[in-house]
Amino acid sequence: MNAPADVPLAAARFTGERVPRKEDRRLLTGHGAYVDDVTMAGMVHGMFVRSPIARGRIVAIDVEAARALPGVRAVYTAADLDRHPAKLTGLYGSAESKFPDIWPLAKEDVRHVGDPVAIVLADDRYVAEDGAALVVVEYDDADAVVTIDDAATGAIVHPDLDTNVALMIATPEDPGLEAVFAGAAHVVTGTITHQRQAHVPMETRGIVAALQGSGEMLIHASCQSPHMVARYMDLAFAMPDLHFRVIAKDVGGAFGLKVQPWREEVAIVAAALLIGRPVKWIEDRLENLTASNQAREQDVTVRLAFDADATLLAADIDYRCNLGAYPHGADPNSLAMVMFPGPYKLPRYKFRAQGFYSNTAGQAAYRGPWAMESLARETLLEKAARQIGIDAVELRRRNLITAADQPHTMLTGFVIDRVTPRETLDKLVAHLDTPAFRAEQAAARAAGRYLGLGFAVYVEPTTMAFGGILSSDVADIRIEPTGKVTLTVSTHSQGHGTETTMAQLVADTLGVDIEDVSVMEDDSSRGGFGPGAGGSRQAVSGGGATLIASGKLADKIRAIAAHVLNASPDTISLAGGKVLVAGVAEMTTTVKEIAEIAYYQTERLPEGMEAGLEARHRYRPPPVVYSNAAHACTVEVDVETGMVKILRWVTCEDCGPMINPAVVEGQIAGGVVQGIGGVLYEQISYDARGNPTAVTFKDYLIPTAHDVPELEFLHIATPSASEGGFKGVGEGGAIVGPPTLVNAIADALAPFGADCLTLPLSPPRVLAEIGTRD
Amino acid sequence: MSSHAIETIVNGQSISAQVEARHTLADFLRGTAGCTGVHVGCEHGVCGACTVIVDGVAVRSCLMLAVQADGATVATAESLAAPDGTLHRVQQAMKDEYGLQCGFCTPGVVMTLAAITQGRSPDAEEIKDALSGHLCRCTGYQGMLKVAKRLGGEVQA
């Protein structure tokens, strides 16, 4: 393994500490600033008229009764919005992807239940809903394409495409592969099916759009990056004289759903252009669970070949996913294919992946969008351990890459470096006391109770700055003439705590108190472009930009101080808001005094130095940074009811040096519990006509405080090659959590020969695995 | 829509207002009273984000109409901290234990905890039961479970 990167925070006072979050006071006292808290003079409220059918032609739309309702100010259909045509751009996909034309409102036909057909603008939300109920749409109903199997054989979802396959990717033919499987001592197979999930941020989507004068569209949005909203709006409208300014202070969770503005947000901007008044739309929970983009719904058939020593010889996977009608990207989860080998030595690998369009809500990236690779690999590895008759940890140890193997080039081309899958697993196992659990498990089984222990190990590509919109982040930092510090950075928090973590980095680099540092990431017109939250990248990319920009500013402070104090810059240090000269206490000055010189007494600056105390850095992180983790959990399965109780959950991750361990653990826990929801409870479902059947929180169950264990956290911190050595941690829990839990349940039910490869493992499904229910 | 005159006290301030019969208490508090800390997360009484205290009892303000608050005294998260900014012990415990991330569910959580610990000493299990009426998508409830233990162990004044 390469030498660790330098961590330039030798005198860290805040970095690495459990610093209380700067954002918490306003959020705890009801003073957060979310999009629905924005009101403007003359603002009207939007409500969408949505398709009640999954597939059909629009025969006629009658908006007259709605327009006549007192308080309704406008009703727009696609024909109206076309005065400012806005076409949506996908977030990801390749040049070979088949991507349909996507418009804010349905034109000739509707393609999923919830497809927006018209928008009603009224004086308040209640009247807007009244108006929407008065819009009469006549449809020519057609049979819906709902499942992946429907899509593979049924009608074409998008008339402008000639297929329902958005993209198929595959490895080249490997004529020798079958011989490897034929000659293998052990071949393990399985099909893993993951249900559809919803992101369920507690704050739904929402937007306020207001034209300022003639050329600036001011937008308040619930999003993952104000810069990304501005970018996508500009791409959608492509109006030379229209500029976008996007503000997003507090956002109530996103998890991938809000990575780009989608049809409704674009429709609201179009409506604001047409009506010439501010327009607000706040999605309700019914819309959120039916018309917002969703996630997962995928199946993968896996074959693994092992030699007699349980060493992996080859893998063959065939993957399919349901992209719905209007996904954010036309991609069959390429990254899941790339990452399937994970932290294991896999000498031979074949894959095929297909993404299908259907008449269901479109897909979006959701926390660890490629997580299926870990679920498929880790569940099949434990199935292999059961089949071969070897301990699952021992099987992993025989196949994991170690420090000596790195840098390790995966068959798929990614180069993994500075990761610790073996070390995290070993630390986890040392903490667990597996023999004690196995004894308890045996005693329980003898008493008719079923306990299980499951493991999972994974490695995660974070940051992904190898090209495209994730390539860089920018930090602008300044010390005000008052001595206070303002950081404007292209990160964005939807709960991530970057207001705190970035301030920790700044405070240490400049030697000031964290209370004197303000972090601004809420306005696209301040600072520069950055993609915001996505890809577990903000500590790496935003943190790197912040460290370097802060370092430049610290250098400038030292240069000014050296000049005015007639000292060498090398002798000057920054601490406690003071500027100190080594060995000369009486020459101590303050950052505030240096700032006054920089702004007010510019004649005292060194010859040729730019006035002011400002610095900027746009940071290009390494192409890919990897974090990794091993998790284990124990469960008890009630074989009478099919209920699963999680008894214990231990995590051991390596996300590099932690800026704030409490924030790191918060990210891990949030991801794990979303994973618990995906394994046990959550399921977006449709009937055969494409009607959604989980449309409220009574049908779509997310975990509550009663459903979660108290996590035990272990940490290993191996620096990456990035500035500061950070690796990123946002998504990992949601990737490694699900196979950990599935494996524990499968271990508990091993006496029944259960594989537990069909999610969710709800009570009926568990009983089916046991064989007591079909 | 029928319109009704109501008189309420919200966070210590008297408010006289005309409300439509169908207006929820949540919308009244957010709009007329300006208490935007009342967050509407589901509008069907499951998520708990809109929880406020009405006459001493924690209530989901999306399931109560504004007209039903006529004559009532309502408290929202904006009123919990002391005038000098000192956080309520529930707020302080949530902050100390990293009980929040995005903060959207948070005002409802603190109002439930404030209501059940007001003049009573529920144990950690009862507090956890109360927390189970709040959906949080960010934290995995880890900080809140610590808050339950901490408050459950406190002797109330």
PDB file of all heavy atoms in Angstrom, chain A residues 18 21 25 34 36-37 126 130 285 682 703 706 709 711, chain B residues 22 27 30 41 44 85 91 98 101-102 129 137-138 141-142:
ATOM      1  N   ARG A  18     -15.784  15.391  18.166  1.00  0.00           N
ATOM      2  CA  ARG A  18     -17.249  15.368  18.120  1.00  0.00           C
ATOM      3  C   ARG A  18     -17.768  16.772  18.424  1.00  0.00           C
ATOM      4  O   ARG A  18     -18.360  17.016  19.483  1.00  0.00           O
ATOM      5  CB  ARG A  18     -17.799  14.338  19.101  1.00  0.00           C
ATOM      6  CG  ARG A  18     -17.450  12.919  18.693  1.00  0.00           C
ATOM      7  CD  ARG A  18     -17.845  11.874  19.723  1.00  0.00           C
ATOM      8  NE  ARG A  18     -17.270  10.594  19.323  1.00  0.00           N
ATOM      9  CZ  ARG A  18     -17.928   9.664  18.622  1.00  0.00           C
ATOM     10  NH1 ARG A  18     -19.185   9.847  18.289  1.00  0.00           N
ATOM     11  NH2 ARG A  18     -17.312   8.560  18.260  1.00  0.00           N
ATOM     12  N   ARG A  21     -23.080  20.339  16.336  1.00  0.00           N
ATOM     13  CA  ARG A  21     -23.414  20.853  14.997  1.00  0.00           C
ATOM     14  C   ARG A  21     -23.896  22.304  15.059  1.00  0.00           C
ATOM     15  O   ARG A  21     -24.768  22.666  15.852  1.00  0.00           O
ATOM     16  CB  ARG A  21     -24.488  19.986  14.346  1.00  0.00           C
ATOM     17  CG  ARG A  21     -24.032  18.551  14.117  1.00  0.00           C
ATOM     18  CD  ARG A  21     -24.828  17.869  13.029  1.00  0.00           C
ATOM     19  NE  ARG A  21     -26.199  18.316  12.961  1.00  0.00           N
ATOM     20  CZ  ARG A  21     -26.977  18.152  11.901  1.00  0.00           C
ATOM     21  NH1 ARG A  21     -26.522  17.529  10.829  1.00  0.00           N
ATOM     22  NH2 ARG A  21     -28.222  18.562  11.907  1.00  0.00           N
ATOM     23  N   ARG A  25     -29.095  24.497  16.407  1.00  0.00           N
ATOM     24  CA  ARG A  25     -29.911  25.432  17.179  1.00  0.00           C
ATOM     25  C   ARG A  25     -31.125  25.903  16.371  1.00  0.00           C
ATOM     26  O   ARG A  25     -32.253  25.870  16.853  1.00  0.00           O
ATOM     27  CB  ARG A  25     -29.088  26.633  17.640  1.00  0.00           C
ATOM     28  CG  ARG A  25     -29.935  27.771  18.197  1.00  0.00           C
ATOM     29  CD  ARG A  25     -29.097  28.825  18.863  1.00  0.00           C
ATOM     30  NE  ARG A  25     -28.619  28.401  20.165  1.00  0.00           N
ATOM     31  CZ  ARG A  25     -29.332  28.492  21.298  1.00  0.00           C
ATOM     32  NH1 ARG A  25     -30.544  29.007  21.279  1.00  0.00           N
ATOM     33  NH2 ARG A  25     -28.842  28.091  22.448  1.00  0.00           N
ATOM     34  N   TYR A  34     -36.843  26.135   5.261  1.00  0.00           N
ATOM     35  CA  TYR A  34     -37.137  25.163   4.197  1.00  0.00           C
ATOM     36  C   TYR A  34     -37.973  25.840   3.111  1.00  0.00           C
ATOM     37  O   TYR A  34     -38.523  26.921   3.319  1.00  0.00           O
ATOM     38  CB  TYR A  34     -37.895  23.960   4.777  1.00  0.00           C
ATOM     39  CG  TYR A  34     -37.132  23.232   5.863  1.00  0.00           C
ATOM     40  CD1 TYR A  34     -37.221  23.654   7.191  1.00  0.00           C
ATOM     41  CD2 TYR A  34     -36.324  22.140   5.580  1.00  0.00           C
ATOM     42  CE1 TYR A  34     -36.518  23.003   8.195  1.00  0.00           C
ATOM     43  CE2 TYR A  34     -35.620  21.488   6.573  1.00  0.00           C
ATOM     44  CZ  TYR A  34     -35.714  21.923   7.884  1.00  0.00           C
ATOM     45  OH  TYR A  34     -35.016  21.274   8.876  1.00  0.00           O
ATOM     46  N   ASP A  36     -40.887  25.436   1.905  1.00  0.00           N
ATOM     47  CA  ASP A  36     -42.289  25.794   2.162  1.00  0.00           C
ATOM     48  C   ASP A  36     -42.410  26.983   3.108  1.00  0.00           C
ATOM     49  O   ASP A  36     -43.506  27.521   3.303  1.00  0.00           O
ATOM     50  CB  ASP A  36     -43.056  24.584   2.719  1.00  0.00           C
ATOM     51  CG  ASP A  36     -44.566  24.766   2.648  1.00  0.00           C
ATOM     52  OD1 ASP A  36     -45.039  25.586   1.821  1.00  0.00           O
ATOM     53  OD2 ASP A  36     -45.288  24.101   3.409  1.00  0.00           O
ATOM     54  N   ASP A  37     -41.300  27.383   3.707  1.00  0.00           N
ATOM     55  CA  ASP A  37     -41.333  28.550   4.598  1.00  0.00           C
ATOM     56  C   ASP A  37     -41.205  29.861   3.821  1.00  0.00           C
ATOM     57  O   ASP A  37     -41.319  30.938   4.408  1.00  0.00           O
ATOM     58  CB  ASP A  37     -40.190  28.456   5.629  1.00  0.00           C
ATOM     59  CG  ASP A  37     -40.242  27.155   6.424  1.00  0.00           C
ATOM     60  OD1 ASP A  37     -41.320  26.534   6.478  1.00  0.00           O
ATOM     61  OD2 ASP A  37     -39.198  26.752   6.966  1.00  0.00           O
ATOM     62  N   TYR A 126     -55.567  25.188  -1.019  1.00  0.00           N
ATOM     63  CA  TYR A 126     -56.876  24.539  -0.940  1.00  0.00           C
ATOM     64  C   TYR A 126     -57.658  24.770  -2.233  1.00  0.00           C
ATOM     65  O   TYR A 126     -58.251  23.849  -2.792  1.00  0.00           O
ATOM     66  CB  TYR A 126     -57.667  25.078   0.256  1.00  0.00           C
ATOM     67  CG  TYR A 126     -57.122  24.673   1.611  1.00  0.00           C
ATOM     68  CD1 TYR A 126     -56.018  25.314   2.166  1.00  0.00           C
ATOM     69  CD2 TYR A 126     -57.725  23.660   2.346  1.00  0.00           C
ATOM     70  CE1 TYR A 126     -55.526  24.953   3.408  1.00  0.00           C
ATOM     71  CE2 TYR A 126     -57.241  23.292   3.607  1.00  0.00           C
ATOM     72  CZ  TYR A 126     -56.139  23.936   4.136  1.00  0.00           C
ATOM     73  OH  TYR A 126     -55.651  23.583   5.366  1.00  0.00           O
ATOM     74  N   ASP A 130     -59.034  22.312  -5.192  1.00  0.00           N
ATOM     75  CA  ASP A 130     -60.415  22.342  -5.703  1.00  0.00           C
ATOM     76  C   ASP A 130     -60.396  22.439  -7.224  1.00  0.00           C
ATOM     77  O   ASP A 130     -61.147  21.745  -7.916  1.00  0.00           O
ATOM     78  CB  ASP A 130     -61.168  23.570  -5.154  1.00  0.00           C
ATOM     79  CG  ASP A 130     -61.394  23.492  -3.646  1.00  0.00           C
ATOM     80  OD1 ASP A 130     -61.296  22.385  -3.094  1.00  0.00           O
ATOM     81  OD2 ASP A 130     -61.665  24.557  -3.056  1.00  0.00           O
ATOM     82  N   ARG A 285     -47.605  14.015   0.279  1.00  0.00           N
ATOM     83  CA  ARG A 285     -47.021  12.683   0.475  1.00  0.00           C
ATOM     84  C   ARG A 285     -47.593  11.664  -0.515  1.00  0.00           C
ATOM     85  O   ARG A 285     -46.883  10.737  -0.917  1.00  0.00           O
ATOM     86  CB  ARG A 285     -47.237  12.223   1.915  1.00  0.00           C
ATOM     87  CG  ARG A 285     -46.471  10.971   2.287  1.00  0.00           C
ATOM     88  CD  ARG A 285     -44.969  11.070   2.031  1.00  0.00           C
ATOM     89  NE  ARG A 285     -44.303  11.997   2.907  1.00  0.00           N
ATOM     90  CZ  ARG A 285     -42.993  12.261   2.842  1.00  0.00           C
ATOM     91  NH1 ARG A 285     -42.215  11.660   1.944  1.00  0.00           N
ATOM     92  NH2 ARG A 285     -42.452  13.153   3.661  1.00  0.00           N
ATOM     93  N   GLU A 682     -40.096  -1.981   3.538  1.00  0.00           N
ATOM     94  CA  GLU A 682     -40.533  -1.049   2.498  1.00  0.00           C
ATOM     95  C   GLU A 682     -40.806  -1.758   1.178  1.00  0.00           C
ATOM     96  O   GLU A 682     -40.010  -2.578   0.741  1.00  0.00           O
ATOM     97  CB  GLU A 682     -39.449   0.021   2.282  1.00  0.00           C
ATOM     98  CG  GLU A 682     -39.143   0.807   3.543  1.00  0.00           C
ATOM     99  CD  GLU A 682     -38.011   1.818   3.346  1.00  0.00           C
ATOM    100  OE1 GLU A 682     -37.820   2.287   2.224  1.00  0.00           O
ATOM    101  OE2 GLU A 682     -37.325   2.107   4.337  1.00  0.00           O
ATOM    102  N   PRO A 703     -38.735   2.294   8.815  1.00  0.00           N
ATOM    103  CA  PRO A 703     -38.426   1.902  10.187  1.00  0.00           C
ATOM    104  C   PRO A 703     -38.758   3.008  11.192  1.00  0.00           C
ATOM    105  O   PRO A 703     -38.615   4.200  10.904  1.00  0.00           O
ATOM    106  CB  PRO A 703     -36.918   1.651  10.153  1.00  0.00           C
ATOM    107  CG  PRO A 703     -36.619   1.325   8.731  1.00  0.00           C
ATOM    108  CD  PRO A 703     -37.568   2.170   7.926  1.00  0.00           C
ATOM    109  N   HIS A 706     -38.658   1.811  17.198  1.00  0.00           N
ATOM    110  CA  HIS A 706     -38.796   0.472  17.768  1.00  0.00           C
ATOM    111  C   HIS A 706     -38.143  -0.609  16.916  1.00  0.00           C
ATOM    112  O   HIS A 706     -37.997  -1.745  17.364  1.00  0.00           O
ATOM    113  CB  HIS A 706     -40.278   0.127  17.962  1.00  0.00           C
ATOM    114  CG  HIS A 706     -40.785   0.461  19.317  1.00  0.00           C
ATOM    115  ND1 HIS A 706     -40.163   0.028  20.458  1.00  0.00           N
ATOM    116  CD2 HIS A 706     -41.854   1.198  19.719  1.00  0.00           C
ATOM    117  CE1 HIS A 706     -40.830   0.479  21.520  1.00  0.00           C
ATOM    118  NE2 HIS A 706     -41.847   1.203  21.099  1.00  0.00           N
ATOM    119  N   PRO A 709     -31.750  -1.411  16.108  1.00  0.00           N
ATOM    120  CA  PRO A 709     -30.841  -1.700  17.211  1.00  0.00           C
ATOM    121  C   PRO A 709     -30.004  -0.458  17.510  1.00  0.00           C
ATOM    122  O   PRO A 709     -29.999   0.500  16.728  1.00  0.00           O
ATOM    123  CB  PRO A 709     -29.955  -2.803  16.639  1.00  0.00           C
ATOM    124  CG  PRO A 709     -29.869  -2.460  15.178  1.00  0.00           C
ATOM    125  CD  PRO A 709     -31.214  -1.873  14.808  1.00  0.00           C
ATOM    126  N   LEU A 711     -26.551   0.829  17.336  1.00  0.00           N
ATOM    127  CA  LEU A 711     -25.365   0.396  16.598  1.00  0.00           C
ATOM    128  C   LEU A 711     -24.102   0.539  17.438  1.00  0.00           C
ATOM    129  O   LEU A 711     -23.976   1.459  18.249  1.00  0.00           O
ATOM    130  CB  LEU A 711     -25.216   1.222  15.308  1.00  0.00           C
ATOM    131  CG  LEU A 711     -25.974   0.701  14.080  1.00  0.00           C
ATOM    132  CD1 LEU A 711     -27.470   0.669  14.305  1.00  0.00           C
ATOM    133  CD2 LEU A 711     -25.645   1.541  12.857  1.00  0.00           C
TER     134      LEU A 711
ATOM    135  N   ARG B  22     -62.334  24.104   6.768  1.00  0.00           N
ATOM    136  CA  ARG B  22     -61.464  22.993   6.360  1.00  0.00           C
ATOM    137  C   ARG B  22     -59.982  23.239   6.625  1.00  0.00           C
ATOM    138  O   ARG B  22     -59.172  22.355   6.399  1.00  0.00           O
ATOM    139  CB  ARG B  22     -61.666  22.705   4.874  1.00  0.00           C
ATOM    140  CG  ARG B  22     -61.248  23.852   3.947  1.00  0.00           C
ATOM    141  CD  ARG B  22     -61.475  23.444   2.506  1.00  0.00           C
ATOM    142  NE  ARG B  22     -61.144  24.516   1.570  1.00  0.00           N
ATOM    143  CZ  ARG B  22     -61.136  24.357   0.254  1.00  0.00           C
ATOM    144  NH1 ARG B  22     -61.444  23.193  -0.276  1.00  0.00           N
ATOM    145  NH2 ARG B  22     -60.826  25.365  -0.536  1.00  0.00           N
ATOM    146  N   ASP B  27     -51.797  24.321   8.956  1.00  0.00           N
ATOM    147  CA  ASP B  27     -51.736  25.423   7.991  1.00  0.00           C
ATOM    148  C   ASP B  27     -51.993  26.766   8.669  1.00  0.00           C
ATOM    149  O   ASP B  27     -51.380  27.782   8.315  1.00  0.00           O
ATOM    150  CB  ASP B  27     -52.747  25.195   6.860  1.00  0.00           C
ATOM    151  CG  ASP B  27     -52.285  24.109   5.896  1.00  0.00           C
ATOM    152  OD1 ASP B  27     -51.081  23.784   5.909  1.00  0.00           O
ATOM    153  OD2 ASP B  27     -53.119  23.585   5.136  1.00  0.00           O
ATOM    154  N   ARG B  30     -48.733  27.659  10.522  1.00  0.00           N
ATOM    155  CA  ARG B  30     -47.668  28.038   9.586  1.00  0.00           C
ATOM    156  C   ARG B  30     -47.972  29.371   8.905  1.00  0.00           C
ATOM    157  O   ARG B  30     -47.089  30.221   8.751  1.00  0.00           O
ATOM    158  CB  ARG B  30     -47.485  26.963   8.504  1.00  0.00           C
ATOM    159  CG  ARG B  30     -46.857  25.667   9.011  1.00  0.00           C
ATOM    160  CD  ARG B  30     -46.650  24.686   7.857  1.00  0.00           C
ATOM    161  NE  ARG B  30     -45.907  25.303   6.762  1.00  0.00           N
ATOM    162  CZ  ARG B  30     -44.571  25.461   6.757  1.00  0.00           C
ATOM    163  NH1 ARG B  30     -43.855  25.004   7.767  1.00  0.00           N
ATOM    164  NH2 ARG B  30     -43.978  26.064   5.750  1.00  0.00           N
ATOM    165  N   GLY B  41     -45.304  16.780   7.100  1.00  0.00           N
ATOM    166  CA  GLY B  41     -44.562  15.714   6.437  1.00  0.00           C
ATOM    167  C   GLY B  41     -45.421  14.700   5.722  1.00  0.00           C
ATOM    168  O   GLY B  41     -44.950  14.044   4.794  1.00  0.00           O
ATOM    169  N   HIS B  44     -51.309  12.928   6.903  1.00  0.00           N
ATOM    170  CA  HIS B  44     -52.261  11.899   7.304  1.00  0.00           C
ATOM    171  C   HIS B  44     -51.925  11.297   8.671  1.00  0.00           C
ATOM    172  O   HIS B  44     -52.305  10.176   8.973  1.00  0.00           O
ATOM    173  CB  HIS B  44     -52.488  10.841   6.224  1.00  0.00           C
ATOM    174  CG  HIS B  44     -51.232  10.173   5.700  1.00  0.00           C
ATOM    175  ND1 HIS B  44     -50.505  10.677   4.640  1.00  0.00           N
ATOM    176  CD2 HIS B  44     -50.600   9.034   6.049  1.00  0.00           C
ATOM    177  CE1 HIS B  44     -49.482   9.875   4.387  1.00  0.00           C
ATOM    178  NE2 HIS B  44     -49.508   8.867   5.216  1.00  0.00           N
ATOM    179  N   GLY B  85     -32.465  32.360  25.206  1.00  0.00           N
ATOM    180  CA  GLY B  85     -31.866  31.458  24.226  1.00  0.00           C
ATOM    181  C   GLY B  85     -31.477  30.106  24.789  1.00  0.00           C
ATOM    182  O   GLY B  85     -31.092  29.204  24.038  1.00  0.00           O
ATOM    183  N   GLN B  91     -34.459  19.913  23.904  1.00  0.00           N
ATOM    184  CA  GLN B  91     -33.668  20.411  22.767  1.00  0.00           C
ATOM    185  C   GLN B  91     -32.180  20.211  23.014  1.00  0.00           C
ATOM    186  O   GLN B  91     -31.435  19.798  22.120  1.00  0.00           O
ATOM    187  CB  GLN B  91     -33.963  21.901  22.538  1.00  0.00           C
ATOM    188  CG  GLN B  91     -35.379  22.183  22.046  1.00  0.00           C
ATOM    189  CD  GLN B  91     -35.705  23.671  22.084  1.00  0.00           C
ATOM    190  OE1 GLN B  91     -35.400  24.359  23.061  1.00  0.00           O
ATOM    191  NE2 GLN B  91     -36.333  24.168  21.028  1.00  0.00           N
ATOM    192  N   TYR B  98     -26.709  14.311  19.087  1.00  0.00           N
ATOM    193  CA  TYR B  98     -26.790  14.272  17.610  1.00  0.00           C
ATOM    194  C   TYR B  98     -28.089  13.589  17.169  1.00  0.00           C
ATOM    195  O   TYR B  98     -28.092  12.706  16.323  1.00  0.00           O
ATOM    196  CB  TYR B  98     -25.558  13.573  17.019  1.00  0.00           C
ATOM    197  CG  TYR B  98     -24.272  14.296  17.361  1.00  0.00           C
ATOM    198  CD1 TYR B  98     -23.583  14.013  18.525  1.00  0.00           C
ATOM    199  CD2 TYR B  98     -23.787  15.313  16.537  1.00  0.00           C
ATOM    200  CE1 TYR B  98     -22.427  14.698  18.875  1.00  0.00           C
ATOM    201  CE2 TYR B  98     -22.634  16.011  16.870  1.00  0.00           C
ATOM    202  CZ  TYR B  98     -21.952  15.696  18.042  1.00  0.00           C
ATOM    203  OH  TYR B  98     -20.823  16.383  18.370  1.00  0.00           O
ATOM    204  N   GLN B 101     -30.529  15.329  11.930  1.00  0.00           N
ATOM    205  CA  GLN B 101     -29.666  15.631  10.780  1.00  0.00           C
ATOM    206  C   GLN B 101     -30.333  16.713   9.939  1.00  0.00           C
ATOM    207  O   GLN B 101     -29.993  17.879  10.036  1.00  0.00           O
ATOM    208  CB  GLN B 101     -29.340  14.362   9.988  1.00  0.00           C
ATOM    209  CG  GLN B 101     -28.334  13.470  10.735  1.00  0.00           C
ATOM    210  CD  GLN B 101     -27.954  12.211   9.983  1.00  0.00           C
ATOM    211  OE1 GLN B 101     -28.062  12.121   8.761  1.00  0.00           O
ATOM    212  NE2 GLN B 101     -27.509  11.203  10.723  1.00  0.00           N
ATOM    213  N   CYS B 102     -31.330  16.334   9.112  1.00  0.00           N
ATOM    214  CA  CYS B 102     -31.929  17.374   8.249  1.00  0.00           C
ATOM    215  C   CYS B 102     -32.818  18.317   9.032  1.00  0.00           C
ATOM    216  O   CYS B 102     -33.090  19.423   8.596  1.00  0.00           O
ATOM    217  CB  CYS B 102     -32.690  16.747   7.088  1.00  0.00           C
ATOM    218  SG  CYS B 102     -34.368  16.192   7.467  1.00  0.00           S
ATOM    219  N   ASP B 129     -41.311   4.609  23.284  1.00  0.00           N
ATOM    220  CA  ASP B 129     -42.650   4.372  22.725  1.00  0.00           C
ATOM    221  C   ASP B 129     -43.175   5.635  22.053  1.00  0.00           C
ATOM    222  O   ASP B 129     -43.742   5.595  20.966  1.00  0.00           O
ATOM    223  CB  ASP B 129     -43.624   3.954  23.826  1.00  0.00           C
ATOM    224  CG  ASP B 129     -43.585   2.454  24.077  1.00  0.00           C
ATOM    225  OD1 ASP B 129     -43.036   1.728  23.223  1.00  0.00           O
ATOM    226  OD2 ASP B 129     -44.097   2.020  25.129  1.00  0.00           O
ATOM    227  N   ARG B 137     -35.974   9.921   8.683  1.00  0.00           N
ATOM    228  CA  ARG B 137     -35.348   9.173   7.595  1.00  0.00           C
ATOM    229  C   ARG B 137     -33.830   9.339   7.592  1.00  0.00           C
ATOM    230  O   ARG B 137     -33.152   8.696   6.820  1.00  0.00           O
ATOM    231  CB  ARG B 137     -35.935   9.659   6.260  1.00  0.00           C
ATOM    232  CG  ARG B 137     -35.618   8.793   5.058  1.00  0.00           C
ATOM    233  CD  ARG B 137     -36.107   7.368   5.191  1.00  0.00           C
ATOM    234  NE  ARG B 137     -36.275   6.730   3.884  1.00  0.00           N
ATOM    235  CZ  ARG B 137     -36.486   5.428   3.719  1.00  0.00           C
ATOM    236  NH1 ARG B 137     -36.554   4.625   4.772  1.00  0.00           N
ATOM    237  NH2 ARG B 137     -36.647   4.922   2.511  1.00  0.00           N
ATOM    238  N   CYS B 138     -33.305  10.248   8.444  1.00  0.00           N
ATOM    239  CA  CYS B 138     -31.876  10.548   8.381  1.00  0.00           C
ATOM    240  C   CYS B 138     -31.037   9.788   9.405  1.00  0.00           C
ATOM    241  O   CYS B 138     -29.969   9.292   9.091  1.00  0.00           O
ATOM    242  CB  CYS B 138     -31.636  12.036   8.643  1.00  0.00           C
ATOM    243  SG  CYS B 138     -32.212  13.141   7.365  1.00  0.00           S
ATOM    244  N   TYR B 141     -32.438   6.959  14.162  1.00  0.00           N
ATOM    245  CA  TYR B 141     -32.936   7.095  15.538  1.00  0.00           C
ATOM    246  C   TYR B 141     -31.862   6.898  16.612  1.00  0.00           C
ATOM    247  O   TYR B 141     -32.183   6.841  17.800  1.00  0.00           O
ATOM    248  CB  TYR B 141     -34.096   6.107  15.807  1.00  0.00           C
ATOM    249  CG  TYR B 141     -35.223   6.222  14.817  1.00  0.00           C
ATOM    250  CD1 TYR B 141     -35.340   5.339  13.750  1.00  0.00           C
ATOM    251  CD2 TYR B 141     -36.171   7.243  14.904  1.00  0.00           C
ATOM    252  CE1 TYR B 141     -36.359   5.449  12.823  1.00  0.00           C
ATOM    253  CE2 TYR B 141     -37.197   7.366  13.984  1.00  0.00           C
ATOM    254  CZ  TYR B 141     -37.287   6.452  12.939  1.00  0.00           C
ATOM    255  OH  TYR B 141     -38.294   6.564  12.018  1.00  0.00           O
ATOM    256  N   GLN B 142     -30.591   6.796  16.219  1.00  0.00           N
ATOM    257  CA  GLN B 142     -29.565   6.462  17.208  1.00  0.00           C
ATOM    258  C   GLN B 142     -29.460   7.528  18.287  1.00  0.00           C
ATOM    259  O   GLN B 142     -29.402   7.222  19.475  1.00  0.00           O
ATOM    260  CB  GLN B 142     -28.215   6.278  16.511  1.00  0.00           C
ATOM    261  CG  GLN B 142     -28.206   5.135  15.501  1.00  0.00           C
ATOM    262  CD  GLN B 142     -28.470   3.794  16.132  1.00  0.00           C
ATOM    263  OE1 GLN B 142     -27.746   3.379  17.015  1.00  0.00           O
ATOM    264  NE2 GLN B 142     -29.529   3.133  15.716  1.00  0.00           N
TER     265      GLN B 142
END
